[in-house]
Amino acid sequence: MTTDTAPVDTSGIEDRPSARVLALSARAEDVLYAHPRTRSLVADLPRADTSPLRIALLGPYSAGKSTLVAALLRLPAADVGALVDAAPKTHEATPYEWDGATLVDLPGTLSGDDEHSETARRGVRGADALMIVTTSELPGEAETGAILEALGPDGFADRSVVVVNKMNAENSDRDVVLGEIRARLGPFADRVPVVPTDARDYVDALNDPSLSAADRSALVTDSGIDALTAELRRVVAPGVEGVRPGAQAFELLRVLADAERRWELDGEELGAARTARKAAEVIAAARELVLSALDREGGVVADRVTTAGDRAAAEVSDKDGTVPDRVVRAVRDELEAARGDFDAKFLSSVRTAFDVLVGEYGTGLPEPGPWVNDVEAPGTTPAASPKEASPLAQAGKKAATKGLKTGAGKAGEWLGKVKDGGHGPGSAAAAVVDKLSKYGVGQKILDAGGKVTDGAGKFKPWGKTKAAGKVAGAAGKAQWALAVMGPLTDLAGVAREQGEWMAVKKQRQKIRDHFAEQASAQREVLTDAGTRYLSAWIALVEQSLGGLTERGARIDTEREAALRAIGELREEAVRLAGQAL
């Protein structure tokens, strides 16, 4: 079976302005329907609509809107009287088909009838374009405000025509009136066409049989209705797909604004929300008070640890590479005092925060629990003696070992020659012993327990042979320097005997770096421990206040979530409104 109908190309349909607006409207429906406050607004959201474009006539009563409709429709005299009624009696918008579009005659505004005004407002919201009607008497402040609202926030600036009716009335200076109108349009003066008309003259010209053809033509031309017709056709020329998406995007913005207003709290709900907000603010202030003290006092501890490290490094002896006992004790005392001061000031801040909360909500609040500062401070105490296995002593050994690698390597080459030479008198091992025994460091290597020598160059019976055996036995081991010399030697002596005075400076810097690292670590762990302690207590406080704040907090949470979702939709609608213009 064949057909003459070509396939419909649906590509790009989803990229059309109307499709984008309607897709966003569908998302807005989900958001608004989710809560009873905004559920009724779903009915106001834009829907797919291919009906003719709607041009609403907006203006105060007695401005001649109905007469303008009669003129645009070219109604005969018999129908004009039925249509034209300047009294503010009708409560409904009245549609009229015109030139492929629909003219919507709205009830007059500023009539003092709230129902009229509400109907007119609904008519504007459902319109695709506006014919804003005023008169040669010029709009007052309230009418000017309504015009500017329609052109600006309502988004009709590029879809409107301003009609100044009754221009042929006596004492009307056309140029002066039009100048005043444009001045009152402000920023829209160059965007919105202003058309002077006199609809009554046009209707009379069409229906007065006594007029000559020339007079009738003159009245029709001077009435401005033909110029108004041309402007209205220009506005609707892009058709439904070209005009309606912009109108619907702005209507979506208006619905979203209505939704935001629905979330303006009052009465008991407002009171509950305020109570919850105040509690949250008071608790936040108490929390910030403690966190500020925690940060400050943690910094003080870090500074004191760093300063202690600088003192320990400065006191490293050039003579034997150790930190004097008195300095070690002073550093230990300083670190203990720093931690004690931290505990006292941190607890003081917590107590102050508790007093603030009690002052606001009474003594029924849970008091802060005990603060147990069990955070360890490893590696921040320098050693008085190489025998102590503190982290600082270990760091010293590592620094000494590093400084000895070169010298120890050379010694290893020399000692390798005596590996198989025995250790009796005259052996190479014995020569090594003679060499080493002349220095204090060598004595430590050969005889840590005092069983071999009686001092530099002096050996007990069989001492030299024992020392030589010790050297020969260790000579073949690759880690000799690290395993034997490292634990038994002191940095300063090795540095002096090896000629490497820079090792002392490196040791000092190593101590400084170590304490600086510990200072940062201590601040971090103290902050973490203090924050966890604070959070646990604050959680108890919030729980105790739950009966007072739960309802308000729930309302506020729902409100914030809804407004956030509405705000995101509004941002997209603003972009679509701009794209659709």
Side-chain angles (χ1 to χ4, degrees):
M1 181 178 179
T2 61
T3 177
D4 294 334
T5 303
V8 176
D9 182 7
T10 60
S11 63
I13 289 179
E14 295 303 317
D15 291 334
R16 293 178 181 175
S18 58
R20 291 195 293 271
V21 172
L22 294 177
L24 187 59
S25 181
R27 286 171 51 195
E29 180 174 350
D30 292 339
V31 171
L32 300 185
Y33 192 81
H35 199 279
R37 287 178 180 273
T38 53
R39 193 166 294 161
S40 64
L41 294 176
V42 168
D44 297 334
L45 289 168
R47 309 287 179 182
D49 183 3
T50 58
S51 64
L53 292 172
R54 294 179 288 275
I55 306 173
L57 283 77
L58 174 67
Y61 72 95
S62 77
K65 296 189 301 298
S66 297
T67 307
L68 279 168
V69 171
L72 289 169
L73 296 178
R74 274 65 170 177
L75 292 180
D79 296 331
V80 172
L83 174 64
V84 177
D85 184 357
K89 296 178 180 178
T90 179
H91 292 175
E92 299 296 330
T94 308
Y96 299 93
E97 299 304 316
W98 171 82
D99 203 31
T102 300
L103 298 176
V104 183
D105 189 8
L106 301 177
T109 59
L110 306 178
S111 64
D113 188 319
D114 292 339
E115 188 174 354
H116 281 197
S117 297
E118 179 60 27
T119 301
R121 182 64 185 163
R122 287 199 304 270
V124 169
R125 294 183 62 157
D128 298 297
L130 288 184
M131 185 161 61
I132 300 173
V133 182
T134 185
T135 71
S136 59
E137 295 178 359
L138 298 175
E141 183 176 347
E143 185 183 351
T144 299
I147 292 172
L148 293 177
E149 181 180 4
L151 297 177
D154 285 342
F156 282 98
D158 298 308
R159 293 176 287 120
S160 290
V161 176
V162 172
V163 179
V164 185
N165 200 23
K166 302 182 180 181
M167 278 297 297
N168 292 338
E170 294 183 5
N171 302 320
S172 293
D173 187 315
R174 179 177 297 240
D175 292 336
V176 172
V177 170
L178 295 180
E180 284 292 328
I181 291 291
R182 289 193 175 91
R184 297 181 193 199
L185 291 179
F188 305 106
D190 295 330
R191 293 177 61 182
V192 181
V194 178
V195 180
T197 66
D198 196 306
R200 174 55 62 183
D201 278 2
Y202 186 87
V203 169
D204 290 344
L206 290 182
N207 296 291
D208 187 348
S210 65
L211 292 176
S212 66
D215 289 340
R216 179 175 291 105
S217 176
L219 281 175
V220 166
T221 301
D222 196 45
S223 71
I225 296 300
D226 289 342
L228 174 59
T229 299
E231 284 294 344
L232 292 176
R233 286 173 175 168
R234 179 191 60 79
V235 170
V236 300
V240 172
E241 185 63 31
V243 176
R244 185 154 290 156
Q248 290 186 326
F250 277 100
E251 176 58 11
L252 177 55
L253 281 171
R254 289 188 285 270
V255 173
L256 293 175
D258 290 342
E260 289 175 327
R261 283 189 287 271
R262 293 283 180 93
W263 279 104
E264 294 176 357
L265 305 179
D266 56 16
E268 291 184 0
E269 287 186 328
L270 179 59
R274 284 176 173 171
T275 298
R277 290 172 200 163
K278 182 178 180 180
E281 291 171 0
V282 173
I283 291 174
R287 186 198 304 270
E288 182 57 32
L289 185 153
V290 177
L291 289 177
S292 177
L294 181 61
D295 180 68
R296 181 179 63 253
E297 297 307 322
V300 170
V301 170
D303 290 343
R304 291 175 74 170
V305 171
T306 301
T307 301
D310 290 342
R311 180 179 181 184
E315 295 289 346
V316 170
S317 173
D318 291 336
K319 182 178 180 181
D320 60 12
T322 62
V323 179
D325 288 347
R326 61 177 177 76
V327 177
V328 171
R329 289 192 295 271
V331 168
R332 285 174 174 167
D333 291 345
E334 171 62 12
L335 296 182
E336 290 175 2
R339 292 291 290 273
D341 291 345
F342 171 86
D343 290 348
K345 292 181 179 179
F346 175 64
L347 283 177
S348 175
S349 70
V350 174
R351 192 68 200 183
T352 300
F354 175 70
D355 291 342
V356 169
L357 292 172
V358 167
E360 191 68 43
Y361 297 107
T363 57
L365 295 177
E367 293 195 30
W371 160 253
V372 179
N373 188 350
D374 58 357
V375 178
E376 296 183 358
T380 53
T381 303
S385 167
K387 294 180 182 179
E388 296 188 24
S390 72
L392 185 61
Q394 294 172 12
K397 287 181 181 180
K398 290 180 181 179
T401 298
K402 185 177 179 181
L404 285 170
K405 283 184 178 180
T406 302
K410 293 179 180 179
E413 293 178 5
W414 178 34
L415 293 172
K417 297 177 182 180
V418 299
K419 177 180 179 182
D420 300 317
H423 55 273
S427 66
V432 172
V433 169
D434 289 337
K435 179 76 171 179
L436 291 176
S437 65
K438 296 179 179 179
Y439 303 98
V441 65
Q443 295 168 36
K444 291 181 181 180
I445 294 172
L446 298 173
D447 187 17
K451 297 179 180 179
V452 177
T453 69
D454 290 322
K458 298 178 181 180
F459 290 93
K460 293 180 179 180
W462 304 105
K464 187 171 184 179
T465 300
K466 289 182 180 180
K470 183 178 182 180
V471 170
K477 297 181 181 179
Q479 298 298 321
W480 183 85
L482 295 178
V484 179
M485 295 178 67
L488 301 178
T489 60
D490 63 274
L491 174 64
V494 173
R496 183 159 51 252
E497 291 168 16
Q498 296 291 332
E500 296 181 359
W501 290 97
M502 289 300 295
V504 172
K505 294 183 178 180
K506 290 180 180 179
Q507 168 68 344
R508 288 172 175 161
Q509 187 59 49
K510 188 175 184 68
I511 291 174
R512 292 189 185 95
D513 293 345
H514 175 73
F515 271 75
E517 179 181 343
Q518 287 297 316
S520 177
Q522 284 297 295
R523 182 172 190 174
E524 182 177 344
V525 295
L526 285 172
T527 299
D528 180 65
T531 301
R532 284 187 282 108
Y533 169 84
L534 174 63
S535 297
W537 172 57
I538 289 295
L540 294 176
V541 172
E542 291 173 334
Q543 183 178 358
S544 71
L545 294 175
L548 180 65
T549 63
E550 182 178 0
R551 180 169 180 256
R554 176 178 52 77
I555 293 172
D556 251 359
T557 299
E558 291 177 347
R559 178 177 179 273
E560 289 175 7
L563 290 178
R564 182 166 55 251
I566 293 169
E568 291 172 356
L569 291 169
R570 180 161 41 77
E571 289 179 3
E572 291 192 46
V574 168
R575 287 194 294 270
L576 289 180
Q579 294 170 5
L581 296 179

